[in-house]
Amino acid sequence: MEEDWTDKRMDDFADRVGRFEGDVKERFDKVDKRFDRLEAKVDMTNRTIWAGIFVAVVVKLLFG
């Protein structure tokens, strides 16, 4: 009788842990997506800055 009760409690605990892991994974996936968008914006800004520097150097070399 006691083993059945313990088994049920362990099964309930395993289910709760599984749900918790799923919730945590889902939340981290959302955070990862937000960081990916931020990283894409930073990459675009970085490329724009470097393109501007390149154009400035070319203009300086051509028109001195």
Side-chain angles (χ1 to χ4, degrees), residues 31-49:
V31 170
D32 286 343
K33 287 178 185 178
R34 289 197 328 231
F35 274 110
D36 288 344
R37 286 195 305 262
L38 179 65
E39 187 175 277
K41 289 179 182 178
V42 170
D43 286 344
M44 178 64 87
T45 302
N46 191 30
R47 282 193 295 265
T48 302
I49 290 170

Side-chain angles (χ1 to χ4, degrees), residues 8-24:
K8 182 176 179 347
R9 297 228 347 138
M10 290 303 291
D11 290 342
D12 290 345
F13 177 72
D15 289 341
R16 286 194 312 256
V17 169
R19 287 193 307 269
F20 174 76
E21 288 176 344
D23 289 344
V24 170

